[in-house]
Amino acid sequence: MRETRDGITRKVNKVKKAFTLASTLLCVSVLCVGALHVQSADAKEPVKLIYDTDMGNDIDDVFALAMINNLEKRGEIDFLALTLTKDNKYAAPYCKMLNAFYENPNVPIGYVKDSGCTPEDGKFLRQSLEAKDENGNLMFPFFNLAEDTTDYCEAVALLRKTLAAQEDNSVVISQVGFSTNLARLLDTPADEYSDLTGRELAAKKVKYLVVMAGNFKEATHSEYNVINDVPAAQKVFAEWPTKIYCSGFEVGREIFMTGRTMLDDYNYVKYHPVKEAYKYYRNLDANAKQCTWDLTTILFAARQDRGYFDLSEPGKVEIDDQGHSFFKADANGNVQLFVVNREQIVRIQEAFEWLCSERLLNK
């Protein structure tokens, strides 16, 4: 009789355990569904981005464009337009070729008109577009320069057209080249795209401007993006009507893209345009280090709330006639400088390496 009673007790306990487990799983499922619902409800809208670059002068512009395309595929960026401040005929086709590699060939591209800024071909623009494989065929056959019939826009007109079509206070502009296009934008009158002047259009449509410009640690060093068009840099820092976040030379100088990642992380296709451009720009040396000035602006724009960068107190930036840049703290100023510590530098470098080399699903 005792064995029967014990057997019944064991069965009852098994049922209780099963019921408890089922209840727990049900609760977990409900919590997970609830969490997913909250996550979906709180999902961020992609950052509407215009990329203004002097593509062709340094390889970090290429890395930054690769990042933009990969972040767009992740849903973190809405790539509205690309404008150029390098006055070279190969810059626009090169950008189109690189976007085409990322299956994003329809991004509008604007060329700078009659600026005379760095007109030389550089080390990788024409070379990449004309590169041949071992059989004498185009290395990147998805874009043929000889057959390119794209009607590239003038940059300032493209800026006005793009801004006018967007909601108020919604566009982030990343300027990683010269200030030429944005300075010219400020002086534009009303046109077929908008009844607003350029200054009014920027004030209404731009959420903020994030720039790679200036050297705020070495006052006697004229930073490259500033010195190539000093009057434009002076104008933008003095007159731009929105918030400006500024990544100085000293920030990207401390964060590197390593030669090792170039050797290891771009081999998912036989010829990767980012890797090939890097090879033209510098040797493929595992110990080489490439500074990442321009990439900082893209990571900040896409992930401003993730703690990659700290910011200085508000202030104003002044550019003298020799291209030297000075930051002066001012509670009424519209500029804040990027600040990074050692821990952030490590996190940023890891993000750069992954986001630039991230494998495309169909390649």
Side-chain angles (χ1 to χ4, degrees):
M1 188 71 177
R2 180 178 177 80
E3 291 179 4
T4 301
R5 197 179 299 116
D6 289 345
I8 292 172
T9 301
R10 284 195 295 272
K11 289 180 180 179
V12 170
N13 288 338
K14 285 181 180 180
V15 170
K16 287 181 177 179
K17 288 180 180 179
F19 179 78
T20 301
L21 178 60
S23 300
T24 301
L25 290 173
L26 179 61
C27 289
V28 170
S29 298
V30 170
L31 288 172
C32 288
V33 170
L36 288 172
H37 177 73
V38 170
Q39 184 180 22
S40 176
D42 293 341
K44 289 174 56 179
E45 290 293 319
V47 174
K48 294 180 180 294
L49 184 77
I50 296 174
Y51 181 48
D52 188 67
T53 168
D54 64 326
M55 180 67 73
N57 289 327
D58 201 332
I59 197 67
D60 57 331
D61 300 76
V62 177
F63 289 132
L65 185 52
M67 273 184 64
I68 292 169
N69 278 286
N70 281 329
L71 284 164
E72 183 168 57
K73 290 185 182 299
R74 286 167 165 255
E76 296 183 49
I77 278 178
D78 181 4
F79 192 6
L80 299 179
L82 183 155
T83 51
L84 292 156
T85 53
K86 181 176 176 63
D87 198 348
N88 177 273
K89 66 180 181 179
Y90 295 110
Y94 177 85
C95 292
K96 187 173 179 69
M97 181 274 286
L98 191 57
N99 286 340
F101 173 79
Y102 289 99
E103 300 175 342
N104 205 9
N106 297 320
V107 175
I109 296 174
Y111 63 89
V112 66
K113 184 176 182 180
D114 301 329
S115 74
C117 289
T118 62
E120 63 277 1
D121 290 351
K123 296 181 179 180
F124 61 83
L125 292 178
R126 178 182 55 79
Q127 295 89 331
S128 295
L129 291 167
E130 297 177 352
K132 301 294 198 317
D133 64 17
E134 66 275 13
N135 298 315
N137 299 316
L138 281 175
M139 190 175 287
F140 307 115
F142 48 84
F143 183 86
N144 188 328
L145 180 62
E147 299 175 0
D148 180 28
T149 59
T150 306
D151 185 17
Y152 298 105
C153 309
E154 190 276 323
V156 178
L158 180 58
L159 286 170
R160 288 190 58 87
K161 179 180 179 180
T162 304
L163 290 174
Q166 302 305 313
E167 296 178 358
D168 293 354
N169 193 42
S170 68
V171 178
V172 173
I173 299 178
S174 164
Q175 180 197 294
V176 298
F178 319 133
S179 298
T180 312
N181 291 332
L182 298 191
R184 290 177 175 181
L185 171 67
L186 290 175
D187 285 339
T188 55
D191 59 9
E192 67 268 32
Y193 303 119
S194 173
D195 293 333
L196 303 176
T197 66
R199 190 185 313 276
E200 292 167 341
L201 192 59
K204 186 174 184 181
K205 300 295 184 176
V206 176
K207 186 175 182 180
Y208 61 82
L209 170 64
V210 54
V211 302
M212 191 278 118
N215 184 343
F216 301 98
K217 294 296 184 182
E218 303 171 35
T220 58
H221 176 81
S222 299
E223 191 271 321
Y224 186 82
N225 287 347
V226 172
I227 197 63
N228 275 284
D229 194 343
V230 171
Q234 291 173 326
K235 184 177 186 67
V236 168
F237 276 114
E239 301 180 20
W240 190 259
T242 74
K243 184 78 177 180
I244 300 175
Y245 297 106
C246 184
S247 180
F249 174 87
E250 64 277 2
V251 177
R253 182 179 57 183
E254 299 298 321
I255 308 166
F256 302 108
M257 189 71 70
T258 65
R260 174 53 58 193
T261 190
M262 297 310 305
L263 286 168
D264 294 347
D265 298 342
Y266 292 82
N267 299 325
Y268 59 87
V269 290
K270 187 173 183 179
Y271 300 112
H272 197 297
V274 172
K275 183 176 180 180
E276 296 303 320
Y278 184 91
K279 286 165 64 175
Y280 285 120
Y281 189 76
R282 64 168 68 243
N283 294 328
L284 271 180
D285 179 356
N287 297 315
K289 293 180 179 180
Q290 167 65 41
C291 296
T292 60
W293 295 288
D294 297 349
L295 287 73
T296 59
T297 70
I298 306 305
L299 188 63
F300 180 85
R303 300 180 174 181
Q304 185 179 356
D305 59 349
R306 299 199 192 180
Y308 287 108
F309 303 93
D310 291 326
L311 295 169
S312 72
E313 58 190 322
K316 296 180 179 180
V317 167
E318 295 181 2
I319 308 293
D320 69 17
D321 291 340
Q322 288 71 48
H324 304 140
S325 43
F326 304 92
F327 176 80
K328 297 181 179 179
D330 185 331
N332 297 316
N334 67 330
V335 182
Q336 286 182 275
L337 304 183
F338 286 17
V339 180
V340 290
N341 58 39
R342 298 310 305 175
E343 179 183 352
Q344 289 168 318
I345 287 172
V346 172
R347 290 182 59 222
I348 293 167
Q349 180 170 316
E350 290 172 345
F352 285 167
E353 290 184 351
W354 176 255
L355 290 172
C356 287
S357 65
E358 187 169 35
R359 180 176 185 136
L360 299 175
L361 293 177
N362 63 342
K363 293 187 184 289

